[in-house]
mmCIF file of all heavy atoms in Angstrom:
data_model
loop_
_atom_site.group_PDB
_atom_site.id
_atom_site.type_symbol
_atom_site.label_atom_id
_atom_site.label_comp_id
_atom_site.label_asym_id
_atom_site.label_seq_id
_atom_site.Cartn_x
_atom_site.Cartn_y
_atom_site.Cartn_z
ATOM 1 N N HIS B 44 34.932 -7.843 -43.599
ATOM 2 C CA HIS B 44 33.906 -8.843 -43.880
ATOM 3 C C HIS B 44 34.555 -10.146 -44.355
ATOM 4 O O HIS B 44 34.211 -11.233 -43.900
ATOM 5 C CB HIS B 44 32.949 -8.294 -44.925
ATOM 6 C CG HIS B 44 31.774 -9.175 -45.156
ATOM 7 N ND1 HIS B 44 30.748 -9.256 -44.254
ATOM 8 C CD2 HIS B 44 31.485 -10.029 -46.146
ATOM 9 C CE1 HIS B 44 29.867 -10.141 -44.683
ATOM 10 N NE2 HIS B 44 30.295 -10.621 -45.836
ATOM 11 N N GLU B 45 35.542 -10.006 -45.254
ATOM 12 C CA GLU B 45 36.241 -11.186 -45.788
ATOM 13 C C GLU B 45 37.034 -11.916 -44.703
ATOM 14 O O GLU B 45 37.207 -13.121 -44.762
ATOM 15 C CB GLU B 45 37.206 -10.774 -46.909
ATOM 16 C CG GLU B 45 36.538 -10.273 -48.177
ATOM 17 C CD GLU B 45 35.612 -11.311 -48.791
ATOM 18 O OE1 GLU B 45 36.002 -12.493 -48.869
ATOM 19 O OE2 GLU B 45 34.483 -10.937 -49.155
ATOM 20 N N LEU B 46 37.553 -11.154 -43.740
ATOM 21 C CA LEU B 46 38.345 -11.776 -42.676
ATOM 22 C C LEU B 46 37.473 -12.559 -41.705
ATOM 23 O O LEU B 46 37.902 -13.534 -41.100
ATOM 24 C CB LEU B 46 39.102 -10.696 -41.889
ATOM 25 C CG LEU B 46 40.284 -10.038 -42.585
ATOM 26 C CD1 LEU B 46 40.775 -8.858 -41.761
ATOM 27 C CD2 LEU B 46 41.423 -11.028 -42.760
ATOM 28 N N ARG B 47 36.232 -12.098 -41.575
ATOM 29 C CA ARG B 47 35.357 -12.722 -40.569
ATOM 30 C C ARG B 47 34.979 -14.150 -40.919
ATOM 31 O O ARG B 47 34.876 -14.996 -40.034
ATOM 32 C CB ARG B 47 34.091 -11.886 -40.420
ATOM 33 C CG ARG B 47 34.257 -10.948 -39.277
ATOM 34 C CD ARG B 47 33.078 -10.210 -38.868
ATOM 35 N NE ARG B 47 31.974 -10.194 -39.808
ATOM 36 C CZ ARG B 47 30.803 -9.709 -39.460
ATOM 37 N NH1 ARG B 47 30.619 -9.270 -38.257
ATOM 38 N NH2 ARG B 47 29.820 -9.667 -40.318
ATOM 39 N N THR B 48 34.754 -14.394 -42.212
ATOM 40 C CA THR B 48 34.268 -15.722 -42.618
ATOM 41 C C THR B 48 35.242 -16.830 -42.231
ATOM 42 O O THR B 48 34.849 -17.760 -41.526
ATOM 43 C CB THR B 48 33.945 -15.716 -44.122
ATOM 44 O OG1 THR B 48 33.214 -14.527 -44.386
ATOM 45 C CG2 THR B 48 33.154 -16.926 -44.548
ATOM 46 N N PRO B 49 36.524 -16.772 -42.674
ATOM 47 C CA PRO B 49 37.432 -17.853 -42.275
ATOM 48 C C PRO B 49 37.656 -17.914 -40.767
ATOM 49 O O PRO B 49 37.807 -19.001 -40.208
ATOM 50 C CB PRO B 49 38.746 -17.512 -43.003
ATOM 51 C CG PRO B 49 38.632 -16.108 -43.422
ATOM 52 C CD PRO B 49 37.188 -15.792 -43.559
ATOM 53 N N LEU B 50 37.644 -16.751 -40.133
ATOM 54 C CA LEU B 50 37.871 -16.747 -38.684
ATOM 55 C C LEU B 50 36.732 -17.452 -37.945
ATOM 56 O O LEU B 50 36.952 -18.214 -37.003
ATOM 57 C CB LEU B 50 38.004 -15.300 -38.205
ATOM 58 C CG LEU B 50 38.496 -15.115 -36.787
ATOM 59 C CD1 LEU B 50 39.796 -15.860 -36.540
ATOM 60 C CD2 LEU B 50 38.685 -13.639 -36.486
ATOM 61 N N ASN B 51 35.508 -17.227 -38.421
ATOM 62 C CA ASN B 51 34.371 -17.919 -37.815
ATOM 63 C C ASN B 51 34.501 -19.427 -37.988
ATOM 64 O O ASN B 51 34.147 -20.195 -37.094
ATOM 65 C CB ASN B 51 33.061 -17.446 -38.438
ATOM 66 C CG ASN B 51 32.517 -16.229 -37.700
ATOM 67 O OD1 ASN B 51 32.575 -16.182 -36.475
ATOM 68 N ND2 ASN B 51 32.018 -15.259 -38.439
ATOM 69 N N ALA B 52 35.044 -19.844 -39.161
ATOM 70 C CA ALA B 52 35.245 -21.276 -39.389
ATOM 71 C C ALA B 52 36.276 -21.824 -38.399
ATOM 72 O O ALA B 52 36.084 -22.884 -37.800
ATOM 73 C CB ALA B 52 35.695 -21.516 -40.834
ATOM 74 N N ILE B 53 37.369 -21.092 -38.196
ATOM 75 C CA ILE B 53 38.412 -21.527 -37.259
ATOM 76 C C ILE B 53 37.825 -21.698 -35.858
ATOM 77 O O ILE B 53 38.001 -22.729 -35.209
ATOM 78 C CB ILE B 53 39.582 -20.504 -37.229
ATOM 79 C CG1 ILE B 53 40.319 -20.508 -38.569
ATOM 80 C CG2 ILE B 53 40.549 -20.815 -36.075
ATOM 81 C CD1 ILE B 53 41.360 -19.420 -38.720
ATOM 82 N N ILE B 54 37.066 -20.683 -35.430
ATOM 83 C CA ILE B 54 36.481 -20.746 -34.085
ATOM 84 C C ILE B 54 35.497 -21.910 -33.987
ATOM 85 O O ILE B 54 35.505 -22.685 -33.030
ATOM 86 C CB ILE B 54 35.784 -19.406 -33.731
ATOM 87 C CG1 ILE B 54 36.822 -18.280 -33.672
ATOM 88 C CG2 ILE B 54 35.038 -19.508 -32.403
ATOM 89 C CD1 ILE B 54 36.228 -16.895 -33.549
ATOM 90 N N GLY B 55 34.676 -22.068 -35.012
ATOM 91 C CA GLY B 55 33.657 -23.120 -35.019
ATOM 92 C C GLY B 55 34.272 -24.515 -34.950
ATOM 93 O O GLY B 55 33.876 -25.339 -34.122
ATOM 94 N N TYR B 56 35.280 -24.771 -35.809
ATOM 95 C CA TYR B 56 35.905 -26.104 -35.827
ATOM 96 C C TYR B 56 36.625 -26.399 -34.510
ATOM 97 O O TYR B 56 36.587 -27.518 -34.004
ATOM 98 C CB TYR B 56 36.889 -26.230 -36.995
ATOM 99 C CG TYR B 56 36.184 -26.469 -38.317
ATOM 100 C CD1 TYR B 56 36.362 -25.611 -39.396
ATOM 101 C CD2 TYR B 56 35.335 -27.568 -38.484
ATOM 102 C CE1 TYR B 56 35.711 -25.823 -40.600
ATOM 103 C CE2 TYR B 56 34.670 -27.783 -39.683
ATOM 104 C CZ TYR B 56 34.859 -26.902 -40.740
ATOM 105 O OH TYR B 56 34.206 -27.121 -41.912
ATOM 106 N N THR B 57 37.275 -25.363 -33.956
ATOM 107 C CA THR B 57 37.983 -25.588 -32.680
ATOM 108 C C THR B 57 36.982 -25.940 -31.587
ATOM 109 O O THR B 57 37.248 -26.787 -30.737
ATOM 110 C CB THR B 57 38.754 -24.311 -32.247
ATOM 111 O OG1 THR B 57 38.938 -23.480 -33.360
ATOM 112 C CG2 THR B 57 40.074 -24.647 -31.649
ATOM 113 N N GLU B 58 35.826 -25.262 -31.638
ATOM 114 C CA GLU B 58 34.793 -25.515 -30.641
ATOM 115 C C GLU B 58 34.313 -26.970 -30.744
ATOM 116 O O GLU B 58 34.207 -27.675 -29.737
ATOM 117 C CB GLU B 58 33.623 -24.576 -30.904
ATOM 118 C CG GLU B 58 32.941 -24.067 -29.660
ATOM 119 C CD GLU B 58 32.053 -22.884 -30.040
ATOM 120 O OE1 GLU B 58 31.023 -23.084 -30.719
ATOM 121 O OE2 GLU B 58 32.431 -21.764 -29.679
ATOM 122 N N MET B 59 34.080 -27.412 -31.982
ATOM 123 C CA MET B 59 33.591 -28.782 -32.189
ATOM 124 C C MET B 59 34.639 -29.795 -31.739
ATOM 125 O O MET B 59 34.329 -30.818 -31.137
ATOM 126 C CB MET B 59 33.230 -29.001 -33.659
ATOM 127 C CG MET B 59 31.978 -28.235 -34.046
ATOM 128 S SD MET B 59 31.299 -28.762 -35.621
ATOM 129 C CE MET B 59 32.285 -27.878 -36.763
ATOM 130 N N MET B 60 35.901 -29.470 -32.046
ATOM 131 C CA MET B 60 36.986 -30.371 -31.646
ATOM 132 C C MET B 60 37.068 -30.447 -30.114
ATOM 133 O O MET B 60 37.174 -31.535 -29.551
ATOM 134 C CB MET B 60 38.308 -29.832 -32.203
ATOM 135 C CG MET B 60 39.297 -30.916 -32.581
ATOM 136 S SD MET B 60 40.808 -30.177 -33.175
ATOM 137 C CE MET B 60 40.454 -29.942 -34.876
ATOM 138 N N ALA B 61 36.956 -29.274 -29.463
ATOM 139 C CA ALA B 61 37.021 -29.236 -27.998
ATOM 140 C C ALA B 61 35.842 -29.990 -27.380
ATOM 141 O O ALA B 61 35.957 -30.571 -26.307
ATOM 142 C CB ALA B 61 37.035 -27.788 -27.515
ATOM 143 N N ASP B 62 34.712 -29.975 -28.100
ATOM 144 C CA ASP B 62 33.526 -30.688 -27.599
ATOM 145 C C ASP B 62 33.607 -32.191 -27.849
ATOM 146 O O ASP B 62 32.666 -32.928 -27.560
ATOM 147 C CB ASP B 62 32.251 -30.133 -28.249
ATOM 148 C CG ASP B 62 31.896 -28.766 -27.689
ATOM 149 O OD1 ASP B 62 32.489 -28.385 -26.671
ATOM 150 O OD2 ASP B 62 31.045 -28.079 -28.292
ATOM 151 N N GLY B 63 34.715 -32.644 -28.468
ATOM 152 C CA GLY B 63 34.912 -34.068 -28.686
ATOM 153 C C GLY B 63 34.205 -34.633 -29.909
ATOM 154 O O GLY B 63 34.063 -35.851 -30.060
ATOM 155 N N LEU B 64 33.786 -33.771 -30.813
ATOM 156 C CA LEU B 64 33.063 -34.243 -32.000
ATOM 157 C C LEU B 64 33.952 -35.025 -32.960
ATOM 158 O O LEU B 64 33.467 -35.777 -33.799
ATOM 159 C CB LEU B 64 32.454 -33.049 -32.743
ATOM 160 C CG LEU B 64 30.937 -32.937 -32.648
ATOM 161 C CD1 LEU B 64 30.525 -32.455 -31.272
ATOM 162 C CD2 LEU B 64 30.410 -31.975 -33.706
ATOM 163 N N TYR B 65 35.265 -34.830 -32.857
ATOM 164 C CA TYR B 65 36.192 -35.557 -33.740
ATOM 165 C C TYR B 65 37.012 -36.569 -32.961
ATOM 166 O O TYR B 65 38.108 -36.931 -33.350
ATOM 167 C CB TYR B 65 37.120 -34.569 -34.460
ATOM 168 C CG TYR B 65 36.364 -33.521 -35.257
ATOM 169 C CD1 TYR B 65 36.365 -32.192 -34.859
ATOM 170 C CD2 TYR B 65 35.638 -33.880 -36.387
ATOM 171 C CE1 TYR B 65 35.660 -31.239 -35.567
ATOM 172 C CE2 TYR B 65 34.915 -32.935 -37.099
ATOM 173 C CZ TYR B 65 34.932 -31.617 -36.683
ATOM 174 O OH TYR B 65 34.232 -30.674 -37.379
ATOM 175 N N GLY B 66 36.514 -37.005 -31.834
ATOM 176 C CA GLY B 66 37.226 -37.993 -31.026
ATOM 177 C C GLY B 66 37.723 -37.399 -29.725
ATOM 178 O O GLY B 66 37.578 -36.184 -29.491
ATOM 179 N N ASP B 67 38.311 -38.276 -28.910
ATOM 180 C CA ASP B 67 38.776 -37.824 -27.596
ATOM 181 C C ASP B 67 39.898 -36.797 -27.718
ATOM 182 O O ASP B 67 40.742 -36.897 -28.603
ATOM 183 C CB ASP B 67 39.298 -39.014 -26.788
ATOM 184 C CG ASP B 67 38.130 -39.870 -26.311
ATOM 185 O OD1 ASP B 67 36.984 -39.374 -26.406
ATOM 186 O OD2 ASP B 67 38.360 -41.025 -25.898
ATOM 187 N N VAL B 68 39.880 -35.841 -26.833
ATOM 188 C CA VAL B 68 40.916 -34.799 -26.824
ATOM 189 C C VAL B 68 41.623 -34.858 -25.477
ATOM 190 O O VAL B 68 40.971 -34.871 -24.431
ATOM 191 C CB VAL B 68 40.275 -33.400 -27.000
ATOM 192 C CG1 VAL B 68 41.341 -32.331 -27.086
ATOM 193 C CG2 VAL B 68 39.386 -33.366 -28.230
ATOM 194 N N SER B 69 42.958 -34.919 -25.504
ATOM 195 C CA SER B 69 43.707 -34.976 -24.245
ATOM 196 C C SER B 69 43.548 -33.655 -23.489
ATOM 197 O O SER B 69 43.182 -32.629 -24.087
ATOM 198 C CB SER B 69 45.188 -35.209 -24.533
ATOM 199 O OG SER B 69 45.746 -34.048 -25.086
ATOM 200 N N GLU B 70 43.847 -33.679 -22.211
ATOM 201 C CA GLU B 70 43.683 -32.482 -21.390
ATOM 202 C C GLU B 70 44.564 -31.337 -21.900
ATOM 203 O O GLU B 70 44.161 -30.182 -21.938
ATOM 204 C CB GLU B 70 44.065 -32.827 -19.949
ATOM 205 C CG GLU B 70 43.335 -31.980 -18.924
ATOM 206 C CD GLU B 70 43.591 -32.491 -17.518
ATOM 207 O OE1 GLU B 70 43.223 -33.654 -17.215
ATOM 208 O OE2 GLU B 70 44.194 -31.730 -16.754
ATOM 209 N N LYS B 71 45.777 -31.731 -22.321
ATOM 210 C CA LYS B 71 46.730 -30.744 -22.828
ATOM 211 C C LYS B 71 46.179 -30.074 -24.093
ATOM 212 O O LYS B 71 46.195 -28.849 -24.221
ATOM 213 C CB LYS B 71 48.050 -31.448 -23.150
ATOM 214 C CG LYS B 71 49.259 -30.625 -22.834
ATOM 215 C CD LYS B 71 50.477 -31.511 -22.941
ATOM 216 C CE LYS B 71 51.755 -30.744 -22.807
ATOM 217 N NZ LYS B 71 52.899 -31.643 -22.981
ATOM 218 N N ALA B 72 45.675 -30.931 -25.005
ATOM 219 C CA ALA B 72 45.132 -30.409 -26.263
ATOM 220 C C ALA B 72 43.906 -29.539 -25.991
ATOM 221 O O ALA B 72 43.685 -28.524 -26.664
ATOM 222 C CB ALA B 72 44.764 -31.561 -27.196
ATOM 223 N N GLN B 73 43.131 -29.914 -24.985
ATOM 224 C CA GLN B 73 41.938 -29.141 -24.614
ATOM 225 C C GLN B 73 42.348 -27.707 -24.244
ATOM 226 O O GLN B 73 41.731 -26.747 -24.677
ATOM 227 C CB GLN B 73 41.271 -29.815 -23.405
ATOM 228 C CG GLN B 73 39.891 -29.280 -23.065
ATOM 229 C CD GLN B 73 38.808 -29.882 -23.961
ATOM 230 O OE1 GLN B 73 38.950 -30.998 -24.409
ATOM 231 N NE2 GLN B 73 37.768 -29.138 -24.245
ATOM 232 N N GLY B 74 43.423 -27.596 -23.470
ATOM 233 C CA GLY B 74 43.929 -26.298 -23.064
ATOM 234 C C GLY B 74 44.340 -25.467 -24.278
ATOM 235 O O GLY B 74 44.043 -24.273 -24.360
ATOM 236 N N VAL B 75 45.010 -26.130 -25.220
ATOM 237 C CA VAL B 75 45.447 -25.426 -26.424
ATOM 238 C C VAL B 75 44.233 -24.960 -27.228
ATOM 239 O O VAL B 75 44.171 -23.808 -27.686
ATOM 240 C CB VAL B 75 46.340 -26.347 -27.299
ATOM 241 C CG1 VAL B 75 46.660 -25.689 -28.628
ATOM 242 C CG2 VAL B 75 47.625 -26.695 -26.553
ATOM 243 N N LEU B 76 43.242 -25.846 -27.371
ATOM 244 C CA LEU B 76 42.044 -25.482 -28.143
ATOM 245 C C LEU B 76 41.330 -24.284 -27.512
ATOM 246 O O LEU B 76 40.842 -23.403 -28.217
ATOM 247 C CB LEU B 76 41.078 -26.673 -28.210
ATOM 248 C CG LEU B 76 41.519 -27.813 -29.133
ATOM 249 C CD1 LEU B 76 40.558 -28.989 -29.040
ATOM 250 C CD2 LEU B 76 41.613 -27.331 -30.577
ATOM 251 N N GLU B 77 41.294 -24.258 -26.189
ATOM 252 C CA GLU B 77 40.652 -23.128 -25.519
ATOM 253 C C GLU B 77 41.384 -21.826 -25.812
ATOM 254 O O GLU B 77 40.771 -20.777 -25.992
ATOM 255 C CB GLU B 77 40.595 -23.363 -24.004
ATOM 256 C CG GLU B 77 39.315 -24.085 -23.614
ATOM 257 C CD GLU B 77 39.383 -24.719 -22.240
ATOM 258 O OE1 GLU B 77 40.136 -24.199 -21.388
ATOM 259 O OE2 GLU B 77 38.688 -25.730 -22.030
ATOM 260 N N ARG B 78 42.717 -21.924 -25.875
ATOM 261 C CA ARG B 78 43.478 -20.697 -26.185
ATOM 262 C C ARG B 78 43.274 -20.263 -27.622
ATOM 263 O O ARG B 78 43.194 -19.067 -27.909
ATOM 264 C CB ARG B 78 44.960 -20.904 -25.873
ATOM 265 C CG ARG B 78 45.183 -20.684 -24.381
ATOM 266 C CD ARG B 78 46.520 -21.083 -23.895
ATOM 267 N NE ARG B 78 47.619 -20.468 -24.617
ATOM 268 C CZ ARG B 78 48.875 -20.808 -24.435
ATOM 269 N NH1 ARG B 78 49.165 -21.762 -23.562
ATOM 270 N NH2 ARG B 78 49.838 -20.226 -25.089
ATOM 271 N N VAL B 79 43.181 -21.235 -28.529
ATOM 272 C CA VAL B 79 42.902 -20.885 -29.932
ATOM 273 C C VAL B 79 41.553 -20.173 -30.003
ATOM 274 O O VAL B 79 41.411 -19.126 -30.655
ATOM 275 C CB VAL B 79 42.893 -22.145 -30.841
ATOM 276 C CG1 VAL B 79 42.464 -21.778 -32.261
ATOM 277 C CG2 VAL B 79 44.261 -22.813 -30.858
ATOM 278 N N GLN B 80 40.577 -20.732 -29.304
ATOM 279 C CA GLN B 80 39.238 -20.114 -29.310
ATOM 280 C C GLN B 80 39.260 -18.707 -28.735
ATOM 281 O O GLN B 80 38.686 -17.785 -29.311
ATOM 282 C CB GLN B 80 38.286 -20.953 -28.459
ATOM 283 C CG GLN B 80 37.647 -22.078 -29.212
ATOM 284 C CD GLN B 80 36.674 -22.807 -28.301
ATOM 285 O OE1 GLN B 80 35.760 -22.222 -27.762
ATOM 286 N NE2 GLN B 80 36.912 -24.086 -28.113
#
Side-chain angles (χ1 to χ4, degrees):
H44 187 75
E45 292 301 316
L46 287 171
R47 265 189 345 171
T48 315
L50 191 53
N51 272 319
I53 293 172
I54 296 171
Y56 282 123
T57 340
E58 216 165 70
M59 289 194 278
M60 213 181 274
D62 287 348
L64 251 74
Y65 303 111
D67 287 347
V68 184
S69 72
E70 208 172 298
K71 217 169 173 183
Q73 191 81 30
V75 173
L76 287 175
E77 270 162 28
R78 278 170 54 188
V79 174
Q80 274 183 57

